[in-house]
Amino acid sequence: MNLKLHKPLCFFDLETTGVSISKDRIVEISILKVNPNYSEESKTWRINPQIPIPRACSLIHGIYDKDVADAPIFKDIAPHILEMIKDSDLAGYNSNRFDIPLLAEELLRNGFEFDIHKHRPIDVQVIFHKMEQRTLSAAYKFYCNKELINAHTAAADTLATYEVLKAQVEKYDAIDNDVKFLHTFTTQNKYADLAGFIGLDKNDEEIFNFGKYKGKKLTEVFLTDVGYYSWLMNADFPLYSKKIFTKVKLKNAL
């Protein structure tokens, strides 16, 4: 079973210092790029996060401070990542909720632009949870009848995710072999940002998903509470969310 692709599809996985989108850092990223002609290219980078890696995280992914002490920092790797994912859609396992938001945060933090609308995201975990309700290792065993060796290493998890998606498309008649369908099927909620702080109403207008203005339009709040935008920009929100806040604020000023 080959996926029907009209543009490259980049499967990727991150190993990190933790699970906070705004505070944690990438220590390893692996990308498997599958082209429409089914040729493949892969690359894995170890990255010095410039902050200590908690021991609890190291025990999971096996990467310790000493392993990345001489590795390049993210800012040096970012151009290579952007070049590899350029003009590609993105796929991963739990990627809509974690890997894509954290990658976007790292890029924006280091001065690189990222626009999710240029990449249709596919989350293989969503397909799995909608159809079977299991973990990645169980998914690999269930769909591919293989044991996942070296789980929690970026390269192994990335390759397993690719194999699982192909097997899912082949197994389920309800799953179309089409990236647009897979993107729609794995998109669980409509958000304007990546972390889910900003929703979209039935008219696709940005609304708050949190706090005292939950359910209210950003445009209306920024007009009636002139200090709220400043509070948002100084609070601990992800940079991609702040980018959307600013976009709406500037739209108000026009």
Side-chain angles (χ1 to χ4, degrees):
M1 166 64 69
N2 286 316
L3 298 175
K4 294 178 181 177
L5 303 176
H6 300 289
K7 60 191 287 191
L9 180 58
C10 285
F11 292 82
F12 81 104
D13 185 70
L14 306 178
E15 304 303 336
T16 68
T17 62
V19 297
S20 170
I21 301 300
S22 60
K23 295 180 180 179
D24 281 305
R25 303 290 189 268
I26 298 171
V27 298
E28 185 175 72
I29 179 171
S30 185
I31 303 175
L32 172 63
K33 186 173 186 176
V34 184
N35 296 301
N37 65 358
Y38 308 117
S39 64
E40 300 174 7
E41 50 187 301
S42 63
K43 183 68 178 179
T44 300
W45 292 276
R46 285 276 176 93
I47 299 170
N48 184 336
Q50 300 181 284
I51 62 173
I53 305 173
R55 178 172 174 79
C57 295
S58 294
L59 290 173
I60 293 173
H61 52 55
I63 303 172
Y64 294 81
D65 290 331
K66 62 181 176 60
D67 299 319
V68 293
D70 298 322
I73 62 175
F74 185 85
K75 190 170 186 178
D76 295 332
I77 296 299
H80 304 292
I81 295 173
L82 288 171
E83 179 62 28
M84 195 163 185
I85 69 173
K86 182 177 66 176
D87 300 324
S88 299
D89 294 318
L90 297 175
Y93 196 87
N94 193 33
S95 50
N96 285 357
R97 293 193 301 172
F98 182 71
D99 298 82
I100 292 176
L102 184 53
L103 177 61
E105 191 72 4
E106 286 274 43
L107 288 167
L108 293 170
R109 183 186 296 120
N110 286 276
F112 296 92
E113 185 57 41
F114 180 81
D115 185 353
I116 190 58
H117 299 294
K118 295 181 179 178
H119 313 276
R120 288 177 297 191
I122 298 171
D123 194 329
V124 174
Q125 186 192 58
V126 174
I127 298 175
F128 190 33
H129 284 183
K130 281 186 173 182
M131 308 304 286
E132 302 295 345
Q133 301 290 315
R134 301 289 174 86
T135 64
L136 176 58
S137 295
Y140 197 54
K141 177 67 175 178
F142 182 86
Y143 290 109
C144 304
N145 197 28
K146 299 177 184 178
E147 298 295 334
L148 180 51
I149 308 300
N150 296 323
H152 297 299
T153 62
D157 289 356
T158 297
L159 181 58
T161 301
Y162 174 41
E163 292 188 27
V164 167
L165 178 58
K166 290 194 294 181
Q168 287 173 328
V169 171
E170 188 167 17
K171 179 178 178 64
Y172 300 113
D173 292 337
I175 303 295
D176 292 347
N177 189 350
D178 176 79
V179 167
K180 182 178 180 180
F181 172 87
L182 294 170
H183 160 62
T184 302
F185 190 81
T186 62
T187 301
Q188 294 178 292
N189 298 290
K190 291 180 67 176
Y191 296 129
D193 64 340
L194 294 170
F197 289 109
I198 309 168
L200 293 169
D201 65 13
K202 61 182 180 180
N203 297 316
D204 284 338
E205 292 192 55
E206 297 87 352
I207 58 174
F208 286 102
N209 270 345
F210 66 94
K212 61 181 180 180
Y213 292 121
K214 185 174 182 179
K216 300 290 186 180
K217 294 180 182 179
L218 272 64
T219 52
E220 295 177 355
V221 172
F222 290 159
L223 286 173
T224 57
D225 188 342
V226 294
Y228 198 59
Y229 170 76
S230 296
W231 177 81
L232 292 169
M233 299 309 287
N234 288 308
D236 187 24
F237 289 101
L239 292 176
Y240 198 91
S241 300
K242 291 182 177 181
K243 175 182 174 181
I244 304 302
F245 291 143
T246 299
K247 179 182 176 182
V248 175
K249 176 70 172 176
L250 292 174
K251 185 168 60 176
N252 268 3
L254 296 178

